[in-house]
């Protein structure tokens, strides 16, 4: 959260710490000391929630404004327990009601919307592969196209790279390959990392071969090879198409290995 927001909450909390003893000292001028007590506790709880969840709240403007409004309305409830201020508030009943009830309802709505946004972001993050930034296997439930070419790709020799050059180099290879996959995609086409060295690409129907050619051009001259299988399918037949393209990819991978060991 921005520094000015942090300062605002801190100032309001400090104001409460100073205000509460003053109100108690002037208890004869207060409508209800019990209201002051419970309203003070409510404000303290709101401030406590802010501080323990500030890293989460920082990611949502709606939550920031919602919490700030709750702090304001809670502080307003406390100070208007003073009879003098309460009399003034009663004079402007509509404004008083808007502050006490209207703003609080707005705060609740903002907090509800903010939490909903955070849940949606969390679900989206769960579908993203942390290393490559591509969708992971969970993202396969969000395929955009109805009918498409499914491309199952496996990066050749990743284990050898990890064993001989280290996992950091292997990770860099995967990141570079993922970048090339995204670059070769057109609008509404999607890339997924479904295993350590395995990727699924969803491209427009009949564009599978063109995608592979584009990928080959992008990676031209780079020490990255891959095996793949392609099949035109749809969402209903997706699982079966995955099995068939996986089998195609495995056969190509075996041929690549045989070519490596040819004399």
């Amino acid at each position: 959260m921005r520094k000015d927001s942090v300062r605002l909450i801190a100032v309001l909390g400090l104001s409460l710490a100073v205000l509460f003893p003053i109100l108690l000292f002037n208890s004869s001028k207060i409508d209800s000391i019990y209201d002051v007590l419970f309203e003070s506790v409510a404000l303290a709880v709101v401030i406590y929630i802010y501080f323990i969840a500030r890293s989460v709240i920082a990611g949502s403007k709606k939550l920031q404004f919602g919490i700030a409004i709750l702090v304001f309305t809670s502080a307003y409830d406390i100070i208007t327990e003073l009879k003098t201020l309460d009399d003034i508030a009663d004079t402007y009943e509509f404004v008083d009601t808007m502050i006490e009830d209207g703003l609080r309802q707005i705060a609740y709505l903002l907090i509800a919307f903010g939490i909903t946004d955070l849940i949606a972001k969390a679900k989206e993050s769960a579908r993203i592969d942390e290393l490559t930034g591509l969708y992971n296997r969970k993202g396969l439930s969000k395929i955009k196209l109805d009918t498409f070419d499914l491309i199952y790709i496996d990066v050749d020799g990743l284990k050898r790279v990890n064993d001989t050059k280290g996992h950091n180099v292997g990770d860099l290879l995967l990141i570079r390959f993922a970048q090339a996959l995204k670059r070769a995609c057109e609008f509404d086409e999607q890339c997924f990392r479904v295993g350590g060295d395995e990727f699924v690409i969803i491209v427009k129907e009949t564009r599978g071969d063109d995608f592979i050619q584009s990928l080959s051009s992008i990676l031209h001259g780079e020490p990255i090879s891959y095996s793949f299988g392609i099949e035109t399918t749809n969402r209903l037949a997706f699982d079966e198409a995955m099995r068939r393209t996986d089998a195609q990819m495995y056969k190509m991978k075996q041929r690549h290995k045989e070519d490596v060991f040819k004399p």
Side-chain angles (χ1 to χ4, degrees):
M1 186 179 289
R2 292 181 179 178
K3 290 183 179 180
D4 54 354
S5 300
V6 174
R7 290 183 185 131
L8 173 62
I9 301 292
V11 167
L12 288 170
L14 181 60
S15 299
L16 171 63
V18 174
L19 181 62
F20 186 63
I22 295 174
L23 290 172
L24 287 178
F25 183 76
N26 294 279
S27 58
S28 61
K29 300 177 181 179
I30 295 175
D31 279 347
S32 170
I33 191 65
Y34 300 111
D35 284 347
V36 172
L37 176 61
F38 285 107
E39 287 163 358
S40 298
V41 170
L43 177 55
V45 169
V46 172
I47 294 174
Y48 175 72
I49 290 172
Y50 159 71
F51 276 108
I52 64 172
R54 60 187 180 276
S55 60
V56 175
I57 294 171
S60 170
K61 291 291 184 184
K62 293 171 185 175
L63 285 178
Q64 291 178 34
F65 283 118
I67 292 292
I69 292 172
L70 274 185
V71 170
F72 173 76
T73 56
S74 296
Y76 178 83
D77 285 342
I78 296 170
I79 63 174
T80 52
E81 286 300 323
L82 281 170
K83 290 180 180 179
T84 302
L85 296 177
D86 187 44
D87 291 341
I88 295 173
D90 288 342
T91 304
Y92 301 96
E93 184 178 357
F94 176 76
V95 175
D96 179 56
T97 302
M98 280 298 299
I99 293 175
E100 285 194 345
D101 299 323
L103 283 181
R104 185 172 281 112
Q105 290 178 16
I106 291 172
Y108 292 150
L109 283 173
L110 287 172
I111 291 171
F113 291 149
I115 292 173
T116 300
D117 290 345
L118 289 178
I119 292 172
K121 288 179 181 178
K123 288 182 178 179
E124 182 65 17
S125 296
R127 299 188 188 102
I128 300 298
D129 176 61
E130 188 174 338
L131 177 65
T132 63
L134 302 180
Y135 285 109
N136 57 29
R137 186 176 288 273
K138 293 179 181 177
L140 291 172
S141 62
K142 297 295 182 180
I143 293 175
K144 298 176 182 178
L145 300 172
D146 294 321
T147 302
F148 45 84
D149 276 10
L150 187 157
I151 308 171
Y152 203 123
I153 300 182
D154 182 284
V155 178
D156 294 335
L158 179 63
K159 184 178 184 303
R160 184 172 65 253
V161 172
N162 286 335
D163 291 343
T164 59
K165 298 183 179 180
H167 286 272
N168 288 338
V169 175
D171 287 348
L172 290 174
L173 185 150
L174 289 172
I175 291 170
R176 171 55 187 147
F177 189 66
Q179 291 172 342
L181 292 176
K182 288 189 285 188
R183 185 176 166 189
C185 281
E186 294 183 350
F187 181 73
D188 272 349
E189 297 180 341
Q190 297 167 281
C191 307
F192 306 82
R193 184 187 179 201
V194 297
D197 55 2
E198 297 176 352
F199 299 81
V200 167
I201 320 300
I202 304 299
V203 300
K204 296 181 180 71
E205 187 177 0
T206 72
R207 216 185 75 80
D209 290 334
D210 290 341
F211 178 90
I212 292 297
Q213 291 179 9
S214 178
L215 179 63
S216 178
S217 297
I218 294 169
L219 293 174
H220 179 70
E222 299 186 39
I224 301 177
S225 64
Y226 48 89
S227 304
F228 61 89
I230 303 176
E231 182 171 317
T232 299
T233 186
N234 54 56
R235 295 178 187 175
L236 295 177
F238 181 80
D239 290 341
E240 185 60 33
M242 281 279 285
R243 284 190 286 271
R244 286 195 292 266
T245 52
D246 184 25
Q248 293 176 35
M249 176 272 293
Y250 181 76
K251 289 179 180 179
M252 180 180 288
K253 197 175 188 70
Q254 289 302 111
R255 290 198 300 271
H256 288 173
K257 289 181 179 179
E258 293 169 3
D259 289 341
V260 169
F261 291 106
K262 279 183 179 179

